[in-house]
Amino acid sequence: MAQEQHRINVRTILTGLFAIAITVFSFYLLHHFTADMSLSDVINDIRQTPTSHVLLAILATSVSFTAIAFYEILAVRTAAPGRVSYLTAAWAGVAGFAISDVAGFHVLTGGALRYRVYSQKGLEVPLIGNIVALAWMSLWLGMAFTIGTALALFPGGALVMQELPTSGIRTVGIIILVFFALYLAWVATGRRSIALRGLRVSLPGGGTSALMLLAGVVDIGASAATLYILLPSDVVHSFSGFFIVYMSAVILGAISHSPGGLGVFEATMMAGLGVAGRSDVLGALLLYRFIYYFLPLVPVSLTLLFLEVARGHRAIRESVREIGKASEPLVPPIAAGVTFIGGIVLLLSGSLPESAAYHEWVRSILPLPFVESSHLLASLVGLALLVVAHALLRRRESAYYLAIALLAAGAVFALTKGLDYEEAVLLVAIVLFLLPFRSAFYRKSGGSVFAVTPAWLTVMAITVAAAVWLGFFAYRHVEYSNQLWWEFSWSGDAPRFLRTSVAVVAALFALGLHMILNRRTVEVPAFEQVPDSVRQLVEQSPDPDSTIALLGDKHFLISEDKSAFLMYGVSGGSFISKGDPVGDRNEGEALAWRFREMADEGGYRTVFYSAKSDYLPLYLDMGLSILKIGEVARVDLSAFTLDVPQQKDMRYARRRAEKDGLSFSIIPKQDVPPLLPELKQVSDAWLSIKTGGEKRFALGYFNEDYLSCFDCAVVRKEGEIVAFANILRGAQKNEMSIDLMRYRPKVSPVMMDFLFAEILLNAQSEGYHWFDLGAAPLSGLADHPLATSWNRIGTMIYQHGEEFYHFEGLRAFKEKFGPVWSPNYLACPGGFAVPRVLIDVTTLLSGGKMKVVRR
């Protein structure tokens, strides 16, 4: 049984380690900057913030998100004019940025929500990608333009730049502004586009670009103003200097990929402003984070849920249980988000001292060991909730039940460790939120609940680092000694924090080690007996390509009335169907949906490999993207003849074969088994000149049971078989084809031409209408600047990949027979899933290992 392992991308791991390193260093700086602070001082400073400042900060936040909505509208008007209403565009922009600001990994989280919104309006994946790219360009161009302006007009404004030459700083700012002037002039002189990671983005004209730039400037300026208003007046000497520090903090926070730049943003701001030891500044930073990051998230989340429920309001009126079905698409990410928040609350609570009054009450009814255990278990439950949130995002049924159990346990531990009823109420509220949505979590398989991605593990590590830093900050007044680790007392909050931190970090380390050493594996299905109903349907199918089902290396979905089947394999994270369903059309469509549901339930990607045009509308209805992967050559036998100038090579091959002593014949399938040893020798000789193993799944390999199912065309020389090909016949004499075609090398230079010519003439004499010559990979893809990224990449491989595969030579050989070319497709999830699908398909075709055949 072949097995295929998922390999963790080294680049992803290095990115995660870099993000963790930045975050850890930032928390180290924060620890240094806050050496003389206490948690009570910070809380008091927050409470003393004037109400008018808080209201002005909320107003500035509103202006920032209004600007975000505006440049999202401009992006939609540029990429998909008239396809989406301005209200929808504004909503997608605001919701996307609100969620990505908190969650981190901005392009993935914000892009996923935009895909959800825009795909419901009928926009294709490339257009959605264009919109996301234009929106982010507006943001970053606004940042760069504002920085350039600040450097050019106020070169000495920032404290960190006072040691640098003013003229040099001003020159850098002027260069940035000149760049923007040239950019606006460039886009104003004609239609322009740029390539971003393989995506061709059409740029707006000069007027729209200027408006998008202005919106970006307003967004950045208003977000900076939110913090500027909250900071003490004696900290900031000029808005320009503050803005440069602010932008540096935002950029470093984005690079770290931590949620909202947690820790990195605060450390950069305090370092840039030179305000170490100022508790009022740290309080202002925390208040800013609440107003700008978390305050918008609440209405956005509630609105998202309301919109999903509103789409199914009729069903909701019929039954309360239908709420889950009506809002299923958005429930998993929201459930994951609130569960993650529940985990953060427990972790942060474990790092902070308990109320003395509550401790006295707990002390009167519970023994100290029980409270100590509750404190430790509450933090471990918090860490477990961070892990389970990832499985909720993947719609795992077991994660749903585990999340409810953990949340309930966390609520109990919150009460028994110090009567933290606020935490208990929050955790119970999350449980009540999850209860109606059981049907949204239906996947029963798809790996361990505790299997997380490197990106998710990075976010968890950053969250734990923040909780640990908060604990050291809260207990900085406690003098460290080795005895603290073994101090168990009602007032021993600091020792409890130290023991809990070690346990949580150790658990996180073990989880990371488990992720690296126990990568998810997927077994390629073992050979299984081909059902009799499949054999009957293959005999009745006019498409000879369906005979590949007899190879025995596939699983089958068969309709209840045995009138249709679908064959598939498993590779990596994909369920891959070989071609379209075979048999009755209506039953075939039902099987395709069943296949889609089965893959989705297991958390796999749905792939239809080598699909034909007839089923493409169905695959589009499934939400799959369609990629052209080549063309199939079919010869019209009713018009085929060798007596034309184009077939002079075929005529020569027949004459030369006769001179070389070659003879052709068709062996009936009942007479093939005795010849199998001789055919095996020919096959081995052919394979000896090839690099790599035999292909599988979509092509036949030398299997005695498989070859015994077909007539076999053979070429003999002096009575010895020197070439063969198994004959595939479609029902009603619709079409004939061949699968394995193998020959002894160096017997005759015209072997292939002779064999093909004789088989074609034999098919014509038997009355077949068509002959299938097989596919030409990557042939016929569009080579145009405005074509999709896949078409351009495939065309490049086709034109320049002769070193690895004889693409053009294969098409040229088949072109000699004057065929009709028809497209061959791959239906699969679009976007970032396409490269993984291509790897999974290639692995499956190669028999479980990546192999490249040089021909």
Side-chain angles (χ1 to χ4, degrees):
M1 184 180 296
Q3 290 186 337
E4 191 272 328
Q5 266 192 332
H6 272 304
R7 298 186 180 276
I8 298 178
N9 189 291
V10 175
R11 180 177 173 185
T12 303
I13 294 178
L14 292 178
T15 301
L17 292 176
F18 179 68
I20 292 174
I22 290 179
T23 305
V24 171
F25 180 68
S26 298
F27 279 114
Y28 167 77
L29 290 179
L30 270 180
H31 183 72
H32 175 70
F33 292 154
T34 59
D36 299 325
M37 299 184 201
S38 67
L39 185 61
S40 59
D41 292 337
V42 175
I43 294 174
N44 288 332
D45 287 326
I46 292 176
R47 289 173 177 171
Q48 293 174 10
T49 304
T51 303
S52 59
H53 288 193
V54 174
L55 294 176
L56 284 174
I58 294 175
L59 178 61
T61 298
S62 302
V63 172
S64 175
F65 276 88
T66 300
I68 290 172
F70 187 69
Y71 58 66
E72 186 83 12
I73 290 172
L74 293 174
V76 168
R77 194 174 72 174
T78 300
R83 301 276 303 272
V84 176
S85 69
Y86 289 168
L87 181 61
T88 299
W91 161 244
V94 169
F97 274 89
I99 290 177
S100 62
D101 279 347
V102 174
F105 297 94
H106 293 74
V107 175
L108 293 180
T109 53
L113 187 137
R114 286 180 173 87
Y115 175 80
R116 169 67 181 162
V117 174
Y118 291 133
S119 62
Q120 290 178 340
K121 301 299 180 181
L123 293 190
E124 299 80 8
V125 172
L127 287 181
I128 298 174
N130 267 259
I131 294 171
V132 173
L134 288 173
W136 279 102
M137 280 180 60
S138 298
L139 172 63
W140 287 97
L141 289 176
M143 287 184 181
F145 180 82
T146 314
I147 291 175
T149 303
L151 294 178
L153 299 181
F154 310 101
L159 179 65
V160 293
M161 294 185 176
Q162 289 181 356
E163 301 298 325
L164 300 176
T166 302
S167 59
I169 297 173
R170 179 173 281 116
T171 300
V172 172
I174 293 174
I175 291 174
I176 294 175
L177 295 179
V178 169
F179 165 79
F180 276 99
L182 293 175
Y183 170 78
L184 292 176
W186 180 60
V187 295
T189 55
R191 297 180 60 183
R192 306 294 185 183
S193 63
I194 59 173
L196 293 175
R197 294 186 178 183
L199 177 68
R200 179 62 58 177
V201 179
S202 298
L203 299 177
T208 303
S209 294
L211 289 174
M212 294 178 76
L213 180 59
L214 176 62
V217 170
V218 172
D219 171 27
I220 297 303
S223 66
T226 303
L227 177 57
Y228 184 82
I229 293 167
L230 296 171
L231 284 172
S233 58
D234 64 322
V235 169
V236 182
H237 303 289
S238 69
F239 185 79
S240 61
F242 160 78
F243 183 80
I244 293 174
V245 176
Y246 176 82
M247 288 309 308
S248 301
V250 171
I251 292 171
L252 284 175
I255 292 174
S256 73
H257 290 300
S258 65
L262 184 65
V264 179
F265 178 84
E266 287 79 4
T268 306
M269 288 300 304
M270 296 188 76
L273 296 175
V275 289
R278 294 283 299 267
S279 61
D280 52 351
V281 173
L282 182 58
L285 289 169
L286 295 177
L287 190 56
Y288 161 78
R289 184 169 291 280
F290 174 78
I291 292 174
Y292 193 81
Y293 286 82
F294 290 99
L295 204 57
L297 186 64
V298 174
V300 163
S301 299
L302 293 177
T303 305
L304 282 170
L305 186 59
F306 171 78
L307 290 176
E308 293 297 327
V309 172
R311 291 189 179 97
H313 64 282
R314 294 180 181 175
I316 294 172
R317 286 199 298 265
E318 295 173 3
S319 172
V320 174
R321 287 186 296 179
E322 292 297 320
I323 295 176
K325 295 181 180 179
S327 55
E328 271 184 9
L330 208 64
V331 166
I334 293 179
V338 296
T339 302
F340 197 91
I341 291 173
I344 291 177
V345 168
L346 287 174
L347 286 173
L348 295 181
S349 174
S351 300
L352 296 174
E354 298 292 345
S355 168
Y358 291 156
H359 249 164
E360 287 298 324
W361 188 89
V362 173
R363 183 177 182 178
S364 65
I365 59 174
L366 294 175
L368 179 60
F370 199 91
V371 175
E372 292 280 359
S373 301
S374 297
H375 192 280
L376 176 62
L377 291 173
S379 295
L380 291 176
V381 166
L383 181 66
L385 286 174
L386 303 189
V387 179
V388 171
H390 180 264
L392 287 175
L393 197 60
R394 293 183 288 138
R395 303 169 183 260
R396 293 291 308 279
E397 181 186 48
S398 56
Y400 172 81
Y401 292 114
L402 185 57
I404 290 178
L406 288 172
L407 288 165
V412 173
F413 293 141
L415 293 173
T416 56
K417 74 184 179 74
L419 199 62
D420 294 326
Y421 64 87
E422 299 96 338
E423 297 172 27
V425 169
L426 173 64
L427 297 176
V428 171
I430 296 174
V431 171
L432 295 177
F433 167 78
L434 291 177
L435 286 178
F437 301 112
R438 161 64 189 85
S439 60
F441 304 93
Y442 51 83
R443 291 176 176 168
K444 301 181 183 297
S445 59
S448 169
V449 171
F450 294 98
V452 297
T453 63
W456 197 271
L457 186 66
T458 300
V459 173
M460 290 176 58
I462 292 170
T463 304
V464 170
V468 172
W469 174 84
L470 181 62
F472 280 111
F473 176 73
Y475 301 110
R476 64 170 61 255
H477 62 283
V478 179
E479 186 176 351
Y480 176 79
S481 69
N482 291 334
Q483 299 301 321
L484 282 176
W485 295 94
W486 315 111
E487 181 181 323
F488 297 90
S489 65
W490 288 102
S491 59
D493 288 324
R496 275 192 287 271
F497 156 71
L498 289 175
R499 291 189 291 269
T500 298
S501 296
V502 170
V504 169
V505 171
L508 183 64
F509 178 79
L511 180 68
L513 198 62
H514 171 79
M515 183 196 74
I516 295 174
L517 298 179
N518 298 280
R519 303 168 188 170
R520 177 187 173 199
T521 61
V522 177
E523 296 182 351
V524 177
F527 292 175
E528 62 179 59
Q529 188 69 29
V530 180
D532 291 338
S533 58
V534 170
R535 294 183 181 276
Q536 294 174 4
L537 289 170
V538 168
E539 291 180 2
Q540 298 167 7
S541 174
D543 184 2
D545 196 39
S546 64
T547 56
I548 200 69
L550 306 180
L551 193 57
D553 63 346
K554 300 172 183 65
H555 281 337
F556 298 98
L557 283 180
I558 305 173
S559 62
E560 293 184 3
D561 62 359
K562 314 294 185 184
S563 64
F565 76 89
L566 181 148
M567 47 185 156
Y568 71 96
V570 181
S571 177
S574 302
F575 273 28
I576 303 170
S577 169
K578 170 56 183 80
D580 305 312
V582 177
D584 181 78
R585 176 60 185 251
N586 292 332
E587 292 295 329
E589 290 186 355
L591 284 178
W593 277 111
R594 180 178 160 194
F595 178 68
R596 176 83 167 90
E597 293 166 356
M598 183 177 65
D600 182 68
E601 182 177 348
Y604 293 89
R605 294 177 287 272
T606 305
V607 181
F608 291 88
Y609 173 74
S610 192
K612 294 182 172 61
S613 302
D614 292 347
Y615 274 83
L616 294 189
L618 175 65
Y619 302 148
L620 289 172
D621 289 342
M622 292 180 178
L624 303 179
S625 296
I626 307 298
L627 305 179
K628 185 178 180 182
I629 56 175
E631 293 180 309
V632 176
R634 300 170 71 235
V635 178
D636 183 357
L637 295 177
S638 63
F640 178 72
T641 177
L642 296 182
D643 298 327
V644 292
Q646 293 87 344
Q647 300 298 338
K648 61 180 181 179
D649 291 341
M650 296 297 107
R651 296 195 299 272
Y652 169 77
R654 298 186 77 196
R655 293 195 301 270
R656 174 64 185 269
E658 184 179 357
K659 183 184 298 184
D660 291 343
L662 303 180
S663 62
F664 173 85
S665 62
I666 300 290
I667 308 298
K669 63 181 180 181
Q670 61 268 20
D671 297 333
V672 169
L675 300 177
L676 287 173
E678 194 173 355
L679 298 181
K680 182 68 163 58
Q681 294 176 4
V682 175
S683 177
D684 291 344
W686 182 83
L687 288 172
S688 67
I689 64 173
K690 304 296 178 182
T691 302
E694 293 187 273
K695 299 306 179 190
R696 296 173 181 267
F697 188 68
L699 297 173
Y701 55 90
F702 195 94
N703 179 286
E704 294 186 352
D705 292 336
Y706 177 63
L707 290 176
S708 299
C709 297
F710 310 102
D711 295 347
C712 189
V714 299
V715 175
R716 287 186 170 92
K717 183 175 183 179
E718 298 177 355
E720 179 186 6
I721 296 178
V722 293
F724 73 89
N726 59 323
I727 305 296
L728 312 181
R729 302 177 184 273
Q732 294 90 46
K733 294 194 174 183
N734 176 67
E735 188 171 84
M736 180 186 289
S737 183
I738 62 172
D739 189 4
L740 282 77
M741 192 197 75
R742 299 184 176 180
Y743 56 88
R744 290 185 179 275
K746 301 181 180 179
V747 173
S748 173
V750 297
M751 184 73 75
M752 287 182 64
D753 285 354
F754 172 64
L755 183 57
F756 263 107
E758 294 299 327
I759 293 175
L760 281 165
L761 291 173
N762 179 78
Q764 187 180 51
S765 66
E766 290 187 23
Y768 280 85
H769 302 295
W770 293 93
F771 190 90
D772 186 348
L773 294 172
L778 303 182
S779 171
L781 272 65
D783 184 14
H784 190 278
L786 297 180
T788 64
S789 300
W790 164 248
N791 274 269
R792 296 197 304 276
I793 293 171
T795 300
M796 180 187 69
I797 296 174
Y798 180 81
Q799 294 174 346
H800 304 289
E802 291 294 301
E803 180 69 16
F804 303 100
Y805 193 91
H806 200 31
F807 291 105
E808 292 185 332
L810 181 61
R811 181 184 173 95
F813 173 79
K814 295 179 179 181
E815 189 67 49
K816 293 191 298 186
F817 298 94
V820 176
W821 293 95
S822 57
N824 199 22
Y825 296 102
L826 175 73
C828 66
F832 295 110
V834 172
R836 296 182 180 182
V837 167
L838 295 177
I839 292 174
D840 290 345
V841 170
T842 303
T843 303
L844 184 59
L845 298 182
S846 300
K849 297 180 181 179
M850 294 293 291
K851 302 173 183 177
V852 177
V853 178
R854 182 174 177 179
R855 301 186 64 175

